[in-house]
């Protein structure tokens, strides 16, 4: 795992990969190999081995291009999988509430599945790593993420439990919003969490100020207001919009606080963290669904009436979504993973339109469009303006030789005409 280790931040089951906390070490090594090879190529060229250096250069270019093409192809598959798992879990949760109206119980059940993260990671460790460790050794090594003393009770209640509560609140508020409004509005409004992450990281983490991201945040806020106006400010829709905006805010707070308190984690450390969150949810939060059952807040007649297929489907899709979001950066670019989130909005819109659960008026369409536009603007890299300037400079340089060659051709044409006239006048004399 040392060769392909990366730095990741565990995200909520309802989160999109917004805050860039990843660093794949394999890419740096490939770049170092390319630089080292080009250095040897220049040395070989100076000694006269031009043919050998050209072959090496071609080999390196082909190697880098192959890696990029492979990551792009994996990215396309990742976009499809992320979009399908996120849209599928949202639609299936909406169907579940028609038979089993218990959002907190569904949240508790889906979060408990996080216990499987570390066991699955350890299976992958046994299959891929040349240095195989026992589960206890791997557990102790991953626990160093929490400090030199490992996972102590103090560390658990100060650095793990708060994030577990934010995780549960994010999912619970998202599911509550699904009970009030349609899935298209919920999925579109939740994309605003990227704008909230930027604002919080700008204030708390002192991240770089970017004008385009401020514009994107303004678009997200405008989209929220327009989405509320689309239904005429009815109490039912306002409550649902409030729930999903609060869920997006909890998601953003989770990410920024994780970056500030814990920093970033390797794959094994992230898997352990998520498994601890799931285990703590099962141990410490199990009494809440029981209380809600006996108080008839989330009541069902018998166990036979519980749609276990729907519950397991929602939990399984959210679990798959979390795997793709947290560990997908090992095979593709984080931006492509984020793209799968925003593509779930038109997918949910098509499903809602087919099931006749939504009326697409002009205001709603504009609101969804500007929220998605703001989300895509926040995916731009920090040096996007410099990239555009460099691209325009390269295009100008390509156009300049063509113009100069055209002018040179015109000049030579004039010269030939002058020479022809001179020769003709000489012959006449």
């Amino acid at each position: 795992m040392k060769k392909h280790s990366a730095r990741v931040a565990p995200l909520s089951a309802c989160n999109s990969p917004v805050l860039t906390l990843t660093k794949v070490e394999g890419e740096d090594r490939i770049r170092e190999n390319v630089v080292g090879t080009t250095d040897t190529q220049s040395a070989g060229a100076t000694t006269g081995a031009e043919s050998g250096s050209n072959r090496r250069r071609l080999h390196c270019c082909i190697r880098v291009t192959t890696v990029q093409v492979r990551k792009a192809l994996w990215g396309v598959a990742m976009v499809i999988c992320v979009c399908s798992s996120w849209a599928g879990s949202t639609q299936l949760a909406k169907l579940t509430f028609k038979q089993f109206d218990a959002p907190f119980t569904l949240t508790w059940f889906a979060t408990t599945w996080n216990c499987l993260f570390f066991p699955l990671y350890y299976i992958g460790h046994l299959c891929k790593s040349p240095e195989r460790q026992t589960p206890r050794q791997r557990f102790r090594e991953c626990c160093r993420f929490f400090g030199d003393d490992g996972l102590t009770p103090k560390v658990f209640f100060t650095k793990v439990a708060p994030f577990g509560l934010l995780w549960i609140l994010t999912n619970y508020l998202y599911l509550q919003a699904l009970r009030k409004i349609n899935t298209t509005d919920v999925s579109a409004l939740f994309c605003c969490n990227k704008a909230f992450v930027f604002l919080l990281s700008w204030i708390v983490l002192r991240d770089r100020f970017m004008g385009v991201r401020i514009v994107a945040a303004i678009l997200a806020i405008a989209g929220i207001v327009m989405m509320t106006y689309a239904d005429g400010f009815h109490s039912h829709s306002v409550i649902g919009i409030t729930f999903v905006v609060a869920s997006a805010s909890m998601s953003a707070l989770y990410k920024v606080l994780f970056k500030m308190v814990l920093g970033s984690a390797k794959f094994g450390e992230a898997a352990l963290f998520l498994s601890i969150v799931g285990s703590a949810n099962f141990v410490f939060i199990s009494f809440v669904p029981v209380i809600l059952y006996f108080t008839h807040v989330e009541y069902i007649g018998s166990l036979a009436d519980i749609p276990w297929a729907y519950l397991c489907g929602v939990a399984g899709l959210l679990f798959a979504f979390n795997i793709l979001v947290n560990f997908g950066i090992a095979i593709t670019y984080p931006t492509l993973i984020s793209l799968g989130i925003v593509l779930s909005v038109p997918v949910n819109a098509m499903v809602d339109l087919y099931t006749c659960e939504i009326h697409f008026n002009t205001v709603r369409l504009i609101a969804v469009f500007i929220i998605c536009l703001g989300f895509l603007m926040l995916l731009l890299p920090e040096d996007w303006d410099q990239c555009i300037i460099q691209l325009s400079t390269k295009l100008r340089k390509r156009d300049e030789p063509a113009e100069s060659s055209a002018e040179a051709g015109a000049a030579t044409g004039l010269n030939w005409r002058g020479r022809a006239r001179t020769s003709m006048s000489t012959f006449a004399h």
Side-chain angles (χ1 to χ4, degrees):
M1 294 300 293
K2 292 182 180 179
K3 294 183 179 180
H4 302 284
S5 61
R7 309 296 292 182
V8 299
L11 308 180
S12 171
C14 294
N15 290 358
S16 59
V18 175
L19 196 60
T20 304
L21 303 173
T22 59
K23 180 182 179 183
V24 181
E25 297 177 1
E27 293 179 354
D28 297 335
R29 295 187 177 183
I30 291 174
R31 291 177 183 175
E32 291 176 359
N33 293 334
V34 173
V35 172
T37 310
T38 53
D39 291 339
T40 56
Q41 293 163 3
S42 61
T46 56
T47 57
E50 295 180 356
S51 60
S53 64
N54 290 333
R55 290 177 182 176
R56 293 177 184 175
R57 186 175 302 170
L58 180 62
H59 177 72
C60 290
C61 292
I62 293 174
R63 181 182 177 185
V64 174
T65 305
T66 303
V67 172
Q68 293 175 349
V69 170
R70 187 185 299 114
K71 292 188 73 172
L73 293 177
W74 275 112
V76 173
M78 192 66 65
V79 167
I80 297 174
C81 293
V82 170
C83 179
S84 302
S85 60
W86 185 229
S89 62
T90 302
Q91 293 291 337
L92 198 57
K94 187 78 171 180
L95 292 175
T96 303
F97 291 143
K98 295 180 179 180
Q99 302 181 21
F100 183 63
D101 192 11
F104 191 88
T105 303
L106 180 57
T107 302
W108 170 84
F109 183 75
T111 305
T112 305
W113 281 49
N114 286 358
C115 299
L116 301 175
F117 270 103
F118 190 75
L120 291 178
Y121 163 77
Y122 183 74
I123 294 174
H125 165 74
L126 293 179
C127 296
K128 295 293 184 180
S129 179
E131 301 176 359
R132 297 182 179 179
Q133 298 176 332
T134 62
R136 180 177 295 180
Q137 290 174 343
R138 199 63 191 165
F139 178 82
R140 289 179 178 177
E141 183 176 343
C142 293
C143 281
R144 295 177 184 175
F145 170 67
F146 300 105
D148 296 334
D149 297 331
L151 185 62
T152 61
K154 180 180 178 181
V155 170
F156 174 79
F157 286 106
T158 57
K159 293 185 178 181
V160 178
F163 293 103
L165 292 176
L166 287 174
W167 180 293
I168 293 173
L169 282 174
T170 300
N171 288 271
Y172 175 69
L173 292 172
Y174 188 87
L175 294 177
Q176 280 283 8
L178 287 175
R179 296 174 64 245
K180 302 293 183 180
I181 56 179
N182 56 73
T183 58
T184 303
D185 293 349
V186 172
S187 58
L189 288 169
F190 192 80
C191 290
C192 295
N193 86 317
K194 191 172 181 65
F196 298 157
V197 166
F198 164 69
L199 295 175
L200 285 176
S201 60
W202 179 42
I203 297 171
V204 178
L205 301 179
R206 305 296 181 184
D207 279 0
R208 177 186 172 187
F209 174 83
M210 291 182 62
V212 65
R213 294 183 178 178
I214 289 293
V215 174
I218 294 173
L219 289 176
I221 296 172
I224 294 172
V225 176
M226 292 184 67
M227 191 72 74
T228 308
Y229 176 76
D231 290 330
F233 292 97
H234 297 300
S235 59
H236 200 69
S237 62
V238 170
I239 293 173
I241 293 172
T242 304
F243 279 143
V244 70
V245 172
S247 175
S249 302
M250 293 297 104
S251 168
L253 186 63
Y254 173 94
K255 296 176 182 180
V256 174
L257 288 180
F258 189 94
K259 179 68 174 178
M260 184 176 65
V261 175
L262 297 175
S264 54
K266 295 180 181 180
F267 287 149
E269 296 165 351
L272 178 62
F273 180 87
L274 293 171
S275 293
I276 293 173
V277 170
S279 302
N281 170 78
F282 180 77
V283 174
F284 296 104
I285 310 296
S286 296
F287 70 94
V288 178
V290 177
I291 293 175
L292 295 176
Y293 172 79
F294 284 107
T295 56
H296 286 230
V297 176
E298 294 184 358
Y299 180 78
I300 194 166
S302 63
L303 294 176
D305 297 332
I306 299 177
W308 290 107
Y310 285 177
L311 262 68
C312 292
V314 173
L317 288 173
L318 288 177
F319 182 73
F321 174 78
N322 275 282
I323 292 177
L324 296 172
V325 165
N326 289 291
F327 307 108
I329 55 103
I331 58 176
T332 188
Y333 303 101
T335 303
L336 294 178
I337 300 176
S338 300
L339 192 62
I341 305 294
V342 71
L343 289 179
S344 66
V345 178
V347 172
N348 285 321
M350 292 177 63
V351 175
D352 288 345
L353 186 63
Y354 179 76
T355 55
C356 301
E357 292 185 359
I358 188 173
H359 175 63
F360 285 103
N361 53 24
T362 306
V363 178
R364 174 175 275 109
L365 289 175
I366 295 175
V368 172
F369 174 75
I370 64 174
I371 289 175
C372 294
L373 178 62
F375 186 93
L376 294 175
M377 290 173 65
L378 286 166
L379 293 180
L380 293 173
E382 293 184 356
D383 57 344
W384 67 276
D385 50 347
Q386 298 178 1
C387 295
I388 293 177
I389 293 173
Q390 293 177 359
L391 181 61
S392 61
T393 304
K394 290 181 179 180
L395 293 176
R396 288 178 183 176
K397 288 182 178 179
R398 289 181 179 178
D399 294 337
E400 287 177 358
E403 294 177 357
S404 60
S405 61
E407 293 177 357
T412 53
L414 293 174
N415 293 335
W416 277 106
R417 291 176 184 176
R419 291 179 181 177
R421 290 177 183 176
T422 304
S423 60
M424 290 177 64
S425 62
T426 306
F427 181 76
H429 286 292

